Amino acid sequence: LFAGVCCCCAALRPRYKRLVDNIFPEDPKDGLVKADMEKLTFYAVSAPEKLDRIGAYLAERLSRDVVRHRYGYVLIAMEALDQLLMACHSQSIKPFVESFLHMVAKLLESGEPKLQVLGTNSFVKFANIEEDTPSYHRRYDFFVSRFSAMCHSCDHDPEIQTEIRIAGIRGIQGVVRKTVNDELRATIWEPQHMDKIVPSLLFNMQKIEDIDSRIGPPSSPTGGEKEENPALLAENCFRELLGRATYGNMNNAVRPVFAHLDHHRLWDPNEFAVSCFKIIMYSIQAQYSHHVIQEILGHLDVRKRDSPRVRAGIIQVLLEAVAIAAKGSIGPTVLEVFNTLLKHLRISVDFELGDRRSSAGSATFSTSSKESDERIVQNAIIQTIGFFGSNLPDYQRSEIMMFIMGKVPVLGTNSQSLDTSHLGDLGTRRIQIMLLRSLLMVTSGYKATTITNALPPPFLDPLLSPSLMEDSELRQLVLEILHNLIDRHDNRAKLRGIRIIPDVSDLKIKRDKISRQDVSFMKKHGQQLYRHIYLGCKEEDNVQKNFELLFTSLALTTIELANEEVVIDLIRLAIALQDIAIINEDNLPMFNRCGIMALVAAYLNFLSQMIAVPAFCQHVSKVIETRSLEASYFLPETIFKDKCNLPKSLEKHEKDLFFLTNKIAESLGGSGYSVERLSVPYVPQVTDEDRLSRRKSIVDTVSIQVDILPGNNTEDKVDNTEEITFEALKKAIDNNGLEEQEKEKRRLVIEKFQKAPFEEIAAQCETKANLLHDRLAQILELTIRPPPSPSGTMTITAGHAHYQSVPVYEMKFPDLCVY
């Protein structure tokens, strides 16, 4: 009777339940009953409205089996669910999916690794199914959290740990694929989800043994490698995630990377950070590269107070990102990148000098170590600036050159330069050097069609200003930048080093015919270039490298910009340099004087062979040959040796050792050159740059020279109580030879106005007018009060400079006698 009642009850049960019960064998080891599974599948396809009930009943059975640890039946239930999902694609599948996801969640919540892997595999199969219609209420928050937790599995068994981590990564990959293909895919990009997904993937990517092999574009490992290696699987999932990112959600995917690197202190060393951002830059769409760069810059601002090595690590990451982004679209971040880097350059110098001041007098190891770390930061910034700038198109590079040059602080100017007022002279110099080094890297490889494009007046003037500073390294950097911009045919390497070149044709110099635009540039700005070369040779701290760079400047100007008129100007400049060494009005050391003589010899030897005038070449060769026999210290091969015997004076040397203007004019005149201007000595223009760029201002250099006649008689001395006026000072100057000098000056002025080009005369007249205005203004401000006592002292007030109790015999005013 009881059996009959059971059979009757079973017959009264709903058909879908009977079909579901039939797929489970008595012994779970036998597996799914395939014949009954086919009946259940046919029934589900024929009556899709029953799918939700089938799913609910399967979920009920699975939950009961999970609680009872009947894992065999759990496997059968999940297999049945998978087959039903693959077979049914109707509108009514939505409720069934909810039951399916509920069962997957039950498996993931269990503590059994096999069930977690089973649930993950089912979810991945479900994620690969394309649904006909989107689900507007389904969320995957639980699955994101659970799969992320599985990625951090720390099971004591390494095999189980690896298995669970792989399952977690595959689950995250499934969530990403499912949500991206869904119309509500934006939910996965919310920060609360990205903050779990991205660090989970990065945690597994850290296990890559050979980082360098993973930093290129996406690779194609075999399927077996993907499944067995959590690091490879995580990296591919990370690439896939970034590849699906769009404009609106790119930042949400990148920001968790910074949090992970900060939390695990992966900026120092930063190999993993560099590899991560290379993966990011190669994976995202090229037009979104500037988003990543902006995020790196923002994070650099956030960590600006961190240790130098951390900041250097972030900057190195920025360099790698910029190197990839420069090949594609950089967007509006160009100036932002440079502005931020220059700001951090100033901060780094401030930190370095602050530590040095705080530890003054106690050279501890930690302080010196921190200073060297700051140097690492500064070098990283310079590298990034240079690399970024050198990869920009020419039109953007010229703007960046102007931008960086505008940031170089120049004493006495009110420009948009970096604020270095609190850094002092040492900090300002460091900033100047580093900015010029950055500019040198930016200009490397720059090939402008015309010299005007490479050296526009707004860029040329501030660039040449540091070349007047009394710092040999600054002057070297300026000359190297000029070489980058002038050398349009890559001839500089052939001219490296200052030497007497036996045959210039062996160098195979490349050159084109000078264009009309270049001719116009030299007419307008040639005097500026000559002037800075002339003044650069007069600096006392010049070393061999300075002379080498000056020689290269003259040679490149000859190759790229010299027509007949420029050649004459360059010869005049060379003769004027020779006169500097011979006359020595600036009291230069003997090494500098011989170095200038060697520079002139090397250049005229080069120039004579370039213009190929036989008589000129003969004169230059004869002088060089005479020097090699009688005064080898006038040649670069000798003077720049470590041990060179310098002469005590140059006054007794014969004219055969010098290049003579009359012989040069005679030799060039026979070849059709207009040599009238050779008789006019070269005189550099005097501009405001002298006042703005020199170490001393004009007020500092104004001096008064009063010669006191020898003797003890008070009648022969200046009366200390007498009022000192401008006329009295003028009369006190030694007038020996003054009339002859004035006559010679008048003769030269008349001759210059007769023979010199109009442009040169106009430029010098304008310059002298400006200088006269400034000097008169200073003279009017100069007040001299008589000394309070007959001790031979007086008080001078000039502008804001006060000189008290200065002995009369030490006071000099040579500049005032001009007026």
Side-chain angles (χ1 to χ4, degrees):
L1 179 62
F2 180 76
V5 173
C6 290
C7 292
C8 182
C9 292
L12 294 175
R13 295 180 68 192
R15 186 182 178 189
Y16 72 89
K17 287 189 176 182
R18 296 199 304 269
L19 291 173
V20 170
D21 292 337
N22 291 338
I23 67 174
F24 292 93
E26 293 183 4
D27 186 358
K29 294 181 180 180
D30 295 336
L32 183 67
V33 180
K34 294 184 179 180
D36 291 326
M37 186 63 214
E38 291 178 357
K39 293 178 183 179
L40 177 61
T41 303
F42 179 77
Y43 177 77
V45 173
S46 304
E49 68 277 1
K50 300 294 184 179
L51 270 174
D52 57 337
R53 299 182 183 181
I54 295 173
Y57 185 61
L58 275 170
E60 180 184 344
R61 288 202 56 153
L62 184 138
S63 299
R64 185 171 63 248
D65 293 334
V66 169
V67 173
R68 295 176 181 177
H69 300 286
R70 299 169 63 181
Y71 298 139
Y73 288 119
V74 173
L75 295 174
I76 293 173
M78 291 307 301
E79 186 178 354
L81 284 168
D82 293 342
Q83 292 191 22
L84 288 174
L85 276 175
M86 299 298 294
C88 303
H89 299 284
S90 64
Q91 296 280 347
S92 304
I93 200 174
K94 301 302 178 186
F96 175 76
V97 170
E98 297 302 322
S99 300
F100 167 79
L101 293 177
H102 177 70
M103 286 183 280
V104 171
K106 284 287 185 181
L107 297 179
L108 296 177
E109 286 178 334
S110 67
E112 183 64 33
K114 291 183 179 180
L115 296 185
Q116 294 178 1
V117 174
L118 176 64
T120 302
N121 293 336
S122 296
F123 182 84
V124 171
K125 293 177 183 178
F126 162 70
N128 292 326
I129 297 175
E130 294 185 6
E131 300 183 51
D132 297 334
T133 56
S135 175
Y136 294 98
H137 62 280
R138 188 187 307 153
R139 297 185 65 86
Y140 298 93
D141 299 15
F142 168 79
F143 295 100
V144 170
S145 301
R146 189 58 195 160
F147 288 136
S148 299
M150 292 170 63
C151 290
H152 294 83
S153 173
C154 297
D155 195 278
H156 62 277
D157 188 343
E159 293 184 1
I160 296 177
Q161 174 183 301
T162 300
E163 188 177 11
I164 295 176
R165 288 188 179 184
I166 289 176
I169 297 169
R170 294 180 65 242
I172 289 177
Q173 194 172 29
V175 172
V176 172
R177 291 175 179 176
K178 192 64 179 175
T179 53
V180 168
N181 292 329
D182 197 311
E183 291 186 4
L184 295 180
R185 58 186 177 274
T187 57
I188 196 63
W189 298 106
E190 293 176 357
Q192 63 266 29
H193 298 323
M194 288 290 105
D195 290 343
K196 298 173 183 177
I197 292 175
V198 174
S200 301
L201 298 176
L202 296 177
F203 177 76
N204 286 275
M205 288 168 58
Q206 285 178 249
K207 305 301 179 182
I208 298 178
E209 295 180 1
D210 185 7
I211 293 178
D212 293 337
S213 63
R214 317 298 322 147
I215 58 179
S219 57
S220 301
T222 62
E225 291 177 347
K226 290 182 182 180
E227 297 297 330
E228 296 174 1
N229 192 333
L232 291 176
L233 185 61
E235 181 185 328
N236 282 279
C237 182
F238 188 51
R239 291 182 186 271
E240 183 177 350
L241 174 69
L242 295 168
R244 296 174 183 271
T246 59
Y247 178 83
N249 49 49
M250 173 60 62
N251 293 342
N252 290 340
V254 175
R255 285 171 185 166
V257 178
F258 295 104
H260 179 82
L261 297 174
D262 290 342
H263 180 71
H264 293 276
R265 299 179 180 179
L266 296 174
W267 295 112
D268 178 31
N270 67 338
E271 287 81 3
F272 180 72
V274 170
S275 69
C276 282
F277 278 91
K278 283 191 174 183
I279 291 172
I280 292 172
M281 298 303 293
Y282 279 120
S283 300
I284 62 175
Q285 300 180 44
Q287 63 267 29
Y288 303 146
S289 297
H290 62 279
H291 281 287
V292 180
I293 295 176
Q294 284 177 329
E295 290 296 323
I296 300 175
L297 292 173
H299 195 69
L300 182 59
D301 287 336
V302 172
R303 305 297 300 272
K304 64 183 179 182
R305 296 290 177 183
D306 280 29
S307 66
R309 290 190 175 274
V310 170
R311 287 180 281 128
I314 298 174
I315 295 169
Q316 181 66 28
V317 167
L318 177 63
L319 172 61
E320 300 294 342
V322 161
I324 300 172
K327 301 174 184 177
S329 172
I330 301 176
T333 61
V334 175
L335 288 180
E336 183 182 354
V337 170
F338 287 99
N339 202 31
T340 302
L341 290 175
L342 294 178
K343 179 181 69 176
H344 284 275
L345 187 64
R346 181 189 58 78
I347 292 173
S348 177
V349 173
D350 193 11
F351 285 161
E352 179 187 357
L353 297 179
D355 294 335
R356 183 177 299 176
R357 287 191 293 266
S358 63
S359 62
S362 59
T364 61
F365 174 77
S366 59
T367 302
S368 60
S369 176
K370 193 167 184 179
E371 286 183 10
S372 63
D373 289 345
E374 289 295 346
R375 295 291 179 94
I376 294 174
V377 175
Q378 295 158 16
N379 290 333
I381 293 175
I382 292 172
Q383 263 193 324
T384 305
I385 291 175
F387 191 87
F388 194 6
S390 62
N391 280 277
L392 292 174
D394 287 346
Y395 72 94
Q396 278 188 325
R397 201 193 302 198
S398 59
E399 293 177 0
I400 295 304
M401 288 158 49
M402 297 280 293
F403 179 77
I404 297 176
M405 198 64 241
K407 295 292 183 180
V408 177
V410 178
L411 298 176
T413 60
N414 296 322
S415 62
Q416 300 298 320
S417 61
L418 293 179
D419 182 16
T420 59
S421 56
H422 64 290
L423 298 179
D425 293 341
L426 179 60
T428 301
R429 177 185 177 276
R430 290 293 308 281
I431 291 291
Q432 290 170 334
I433 289 177
M434 286 184 286
L435 289 178
L436 289 177
R437 284 175 57 193
S438 304
L439 187 59
L440 177 63
M441 296 187 67
V442 172
T443 56
S444 178
Y446 182 59
K447 297 291 188 298
T449 54
T450 63
I451 198 65
T452 306
N453 294 337
L455 292 170
F459 177 74
L460 179 63
D461 295 337
L463 174 64
L464 293 179
S465 293
S467 70
L468 298 179
M469 295 181 180
E470 294 187 350
D471 188 297
S472 61
E473 188 175 357
L474 283 173
R475 299 197 302 275
Q476 290 171 13
L477 289 171
V478 171
L479 290 174
E480 288 178 323
I481 293 169
L482 278 175
H483 298 170
N484 282 344
L485 298 173
I486 295 176
D487 184 20
R488 291 170 287 179
H489 296 88
D490 298 323
N491 292 312
R492 182 173 45 170
K494 304 170 185 177
L495 301 168
R496 186 169 296 144
I498 180 171
R499 63 197 187 280
I500 302 297
I501 304 173
D503 190 352
V504 174
S505 61
D506 293 339
L507 300 180
K508 297 181 179 178
I509 299 293
K510 298 179 182 178
R511 63 184 305 191
D512 294 329
K513 185 178 180 181
I514 185 170
S515 64
R516 184 183 305 173
Q517 293 88 345
D518 292 346
V519 172
S520 176
F521 173 86
M522 290 304 292
K523 286 184 177 179
K524 293 180 180 179
H525 306 289
Q527 294 298 326
Q528 281 182 274
L529 296 177
Y530 307 149
R531 172 175 177 268
H532 285 79
I533 293 174
Y534 179 86
L535 297 178
C537 290
K538 297 174 66 175
E539 297 293 345
E540 292 185 8
D541 61 340
N542 280 339
V543 294
Q544 178 178 350
K545 185 175 180 181
N546 291 89
F547 289 110
E548 290 178 353
L549 294 174
L550 288 166
F551 167 74
T552 306
S553 300
L554 290 168
L556 289 176
T557 303
T558 304
I559 295 170
E560 298 286 348
L561 303 170
N563 58 2
E564 181 177 327
E565 183 178 348
V566 173
V567 167
I568 298 298
D569 286 336
L570 289 171
I571 295 175
R572 292 174 59 216
L573 174 60
I575 297 301
L577 293 176
Q578 180 178 255
D579 292 340
I580 291 176
I582 298 173
I583 302 173
N584 197 27
E585 292 180 347
D586 298 287
N587 295 321
L588 294 175
M590 185 56 66
F591 170 80
N592 296 64
R593 297 173 68 183
C594 293
I596 294 174
M597 298 291 282
L599 167 66
V600 173
Y603 173 64
L604 289 181
N605 172 71
F606 176 83
L607 176 63
S608 63
Q609 295 186 56
M610 288 295 294
I611 64 177
V613 176
F616 185 26
C617 293
Q618 183 178 1
H619 172 64
V620 172
S621 299
K622 184 178 180 180
V623 172
I624 292 174
E625 183 179 354
T626 305
R627 288 185 178 185
S628 64
L629 297 175
E630 301 179 11
S632 60
Y633 40 78
F634 284 168
L635 298 177
E637 289 82 359
T638 302
I639 186 59
F640 296 124
K641 288 182 179 179
D642 293 336
K643 296 181 180 179
C644 176
N645 295 323
L646 299 176
K648 295 182 179 180
S649 66
L650 304 184
E651 285 72 15
K652 298 181 180 180
H653 287 76
E654 299 294 334
K655 290 185 178 182
D656 293 341
L657 297 175
F658 305 136
F659 300 98
L660 304 178
T661 305
N662 57 348
K663 292 190 176 182
I664 295 176
E666 181 181 349
S667 62
L668 293 179
S671 298
Y673 280 82
S674 178
V675 296
E676 291 80 5
R677 293 173 54 240
L678 281 178
S679 58
V680 182
Y682 170 78
V683 178
Q685 299 177 359
V686 182
T687 67
D688 288 340
E689 290 179 352
D690 293 312
R691 177 172 55 84
L692 298 179
S693 301
R694 304 297 291 185
R695 187 171 54 186
K696 300 178 181 179
S697 65
I698 287 183
V699 174
D700 296 329
T701 57
V702 169
S703 59
I704 303 175
Q705 183 176 3
V706 181
D707 291 338
I708 307 298
L709 296 175
N712 296 325
N713 294 331
T714 56
E715 297 177 355
D716 297 331
K717 297 184 180 179
V718 178
D719 187 2
N720 291 331
T721 61
E722 179 185 359
E723 181 181 0
I724 299 179
T725 63
F726 180 80
E727 293 296 330
L729 293 173
K730 197 173 182 183
K731 292 178 181 179
I733 299 174
D734 184 12
N735 294 322
N736 291 334
L738 185 60
E739 294 180 358
E740 289 78 9
Q741 293 179 6
E742 290 296 327
K743 289 181 181 180
E744 180 65 15
K745 286 183 179 179
R746 284 195 293 270
R747 186 188 67 78
L748 292 176
V749 169
I750 294 173
E751 189 176 12
K752 182 174 183 179
F753 273 86
Q754 290 176 344
K755 300 181 180 180
F758 175 79
E759 293 84 2
E760 181 179 347
I761 296 173
Q764 292 198 8
C765 289
E766 181 180 0
T767 301
K768 289 183 179 180
N770 294 335
L771 181 60
L772 177 62
H773 179 272
D774 293 339
R775 289 292 178 88
L776 288 176
Q778 292 168 8
I779 292 171
L780 291 176
E781 292 180 3
L782 184 67
T783 60
I784 304 178
R785 296 192 295 272
S789 63
S791 59
T793 62
M794 63 178 63
T795 301
I796 301 176
T797 303
H800 298 288
H802 301 280
Y803 303 86
Q804 297 183 356
S805 300
V806 181
V808 174
Y809 58 83
E810 292 182 1
M811 298 167 53
K812 301 178 181 179
F813 287 77
D815 293 333
L816 300 184
C817 67
V818 177
Y819 305 105

